[in-house]
Amino acid sequence: MSETVETAIVEPGGWLAEFQRGRCAGDMALTTYQGLLADEIVLPQSAADNADPSVLVLASSTWTDAMVEQLLYIHGEFAPESSFSFFAHDYLVQAMAGGHGAYFARRRNNELALKCAAQGLKSMLADPHLEIFNLGARLHRLPPPGARKLAVQKGYRNVETAIRDLDKRLAELEAREPLMARHKTWLKSLRKVQFVPDAEMTKHMGRLVQPNKLRPQRKAEMDRLREEKERTDPAFQAARALCEMAGLKFGGLRVMGASRLREVWPEGPDVQAFGFRVETDKGPRAALFYIEGAIFKKRLAVLIEQGNPLPLGSLSPSEAEYAAILSG
């Protein structure tokens, strides 16, 4: 009598594919997961050859962004390592610029972003970075009593002290062991990464339009959702109002993320800000949201043109509007 050995079938795309299949409701094209369609990452040879590792890491993020924003794939339908790279870099940039508090305020409800960031750090064998990330995630996602208990268990007085120390630990870790170099090495080690002459990037991107059969429907749905968001989202409303003050025609909005205000507006106060790139009929501008004052806090938004020392427009969002803008 022979025995039958059952072999587990692993879905192409690994846990990200399983995650998306379980999460996507399928009630519209944007929430329909089609499976892994394009398991490749194409990057410019010049980025691989550049001595600055950030050039290749940014090229990888640009590839991911194009797959989502231009070709309208959803994460898990293209190479999962592309998503891991994107969100690991997203964590590093936002946490270094604005601290873990700002990063998790924006990402803590985005389970896909958090899982991909953690998987990216794990795949790169960036264990010290992953340890800091995981503790920050737990502190921000646990209910307040659980977060306080965890902070005390880790030797901190409270959650706020723990978060400030994570910022310090990350800065010290980056000073002695920058993640960028490890990130570049990891990307170059992936068999599915293909380096091509820069001039061929457009051709490869165009080739990947065909596998995504839902692209036309997704584009129609995205256009409808974008129109609705522009009518109701506080960030769009604020940006539009700032453009009207400046006599500019509003053309769109894109998140830049957290940074020091003076990195974008050198003449501004030395505070933390959250920025958006605002498209206008006169070219791009920056909408910056920040808080002045320690006790009597004043929430402000300004529209900045590069090279102009004075804001083109300014307004004061309410506390609820400001919170919605930063978490949206």
Side-chain angles (χ1 to χ4, degrees), residues 141-163:
R141 302 191 82 190
L142 282 171
R148 286 193 297 269
K149 182 178 180 181
L150 176 60
V152 171
Q153 288 175 347
K154 295 295 183 179
Y156 299 106
R157 185 172 68 254
N158 51 41
V159 174
E160 291 72 22
T161 303
I163 295 301

Side-chain angles (χ1 to χ4, degrees), residues 7-318:
T7 303
I9 299 176
V10 179
E11 179 174 5
W15 69 261
L16 180 54
E18 295 178 7
F19 175 83
Q20 288 291 64
R21 198 172 294 285
R23 189 184 74 151
C24 293
D27 53 338
M28 55 193 301
L30 286 169
T31 60
T32 298
Y33 177 63
Q34 303 173 89
L36 183 62
L37 302 175
D39 195 20
E40 60 183 292
I41 303 172
V42 183
L43 302 177
Q45 185 65 52
S46 65
D49 295 339
N50 197 298
D52 183 353
S54 68
V55 176
L56 182 59
V57 174
L58 289 173
S60 175
S61 291
T62 299
W63 173 263
T64 307
D65 189 68
M67 293 294 286
V68 174
E69 298 294 334
Q70 297 178 33
L71 303 191
L72 306 187
Y73 285 83
I74 64 174
H75 291 280
E77 291 181 345
F78 57 95
E81 292 84 356
S82 186
S83 301
F84 303 161
S85 175
F86 181 89
F87 286 111
H89 180 61
D90 168 76
Y91 157 67
L92 181 68
V93 170
Q94 292 205 48
M96 285 294 291
H100 286 81
Y103 169 76
F104 284 107
R106 181 159 186 81
R107 292 299 192 195
R108 64 182 165 193
N109 294 323
N110 189 335
E111 190 175 2
L112 184 143
L114 296 179
K115 283 182 175 293
C116 285
Q119 183 62 54
L121 295 173
K122 182 179 179 181
S123 298
M124 296 171 202
L125 302 180
D127 293 345
H129 286 84
L130 181 58
E131 181 182 351
I132 294 171
F133 174 88
N134 283 338
L135 180 54
R138 293 179 66 194
L139 288 169
H140 280 90
R141 302 191 82 190
L142 282 171
R148 286 193 297 269
K149 182 178 180 181
L150 176 60
V152 171
Q153 288 175 347
K154 295 295 183 179
Y156 299 106
R157 185 172 68 254
N158 51 41
V159 174
E160 291 72 22
T161 303
I163 295 301
R164 285 197 298 270
D165 188 59
L166 290 184
D167 294 343
K168 179 182 176 183
R169 286 171 57 188
L170 181 60
E172 291 173 346
L173 177 59
E174 276 295 294
R176 67 176 184 270
E177 189 182 339
L179 183 63
M180 287 289 192
R182 183 179 291 273
H183 196 153
K184 177 179 181 178
T185 300
W186 174 72
L187 284 169
K188 294 184 74 173
S189 74
L190 297 174
R191 293 183 178 181
K192 64 183 65 178
V193 172
Q194 178 184 1
F195 296 108
V196 302
D198 295 38
E200 294 183 8
M201 286 297 298
T202 301
K203 178 186 71 174
H204 285 279
M205 189 62 65
R207 173 173 57 80
L208 292 176
V209 171
Q210 186 62 30
N212 183 9
K213 304 300 183 184
L214 291 181
R215 186 172 184 269
Q217 296 96 308
R218 285 177 177 173
K219 186 178 185 309
E221 291 174 0
M222 285 183 68
D223 289 344
R224 177 175 55 80
L225 291 173
R226 186 178 292 113
E227 290 176 2
E228 181 180 339
K229 186 173 185 178
E230 288 186 11
R231 290 195 302 269
T232 61
D233 186 86
F236 277 89
Q237 292 174 345
R240 194 183 295 277
L242 288 168
C243 285
E244 289 177 0
M245 292 178 193
L248 299 171
K249 183 179 179 181
F250 175 77
L253 193 66
R254 186 151 191 188
V255 174
M256 294 194 303
S259 67
R260 300 303 298 179
L261 182 67
R262 287 183 176 174
E263 292 181 11
V264 183
W265 180 27
E267 295 80 10
D270 188 16
V271 296
Q272 189 64 32
F274 195 86
F276 294 84
R277 176 188 168 101
V278 182
E279 302 297 340
T280 79
D281 60 331
K282 303 295 184 180
R285 302 292 188 268
L288 304 171
F289 296 80
Y290 63 99
I291 296 176
E292 275 192 328
I295 299 176
F296 300 103
K297 295 182 178 180
K298 186 176 182 181
R299 295 163 183 83
L300 297 167
V302 293
L303 187 68
I304 300 298
E305 179 184 13
Q306 188 174 16
N308 192 336
L310 297 177
L312 303 177
S314 64
L315 51 83
S316 299
S318 68

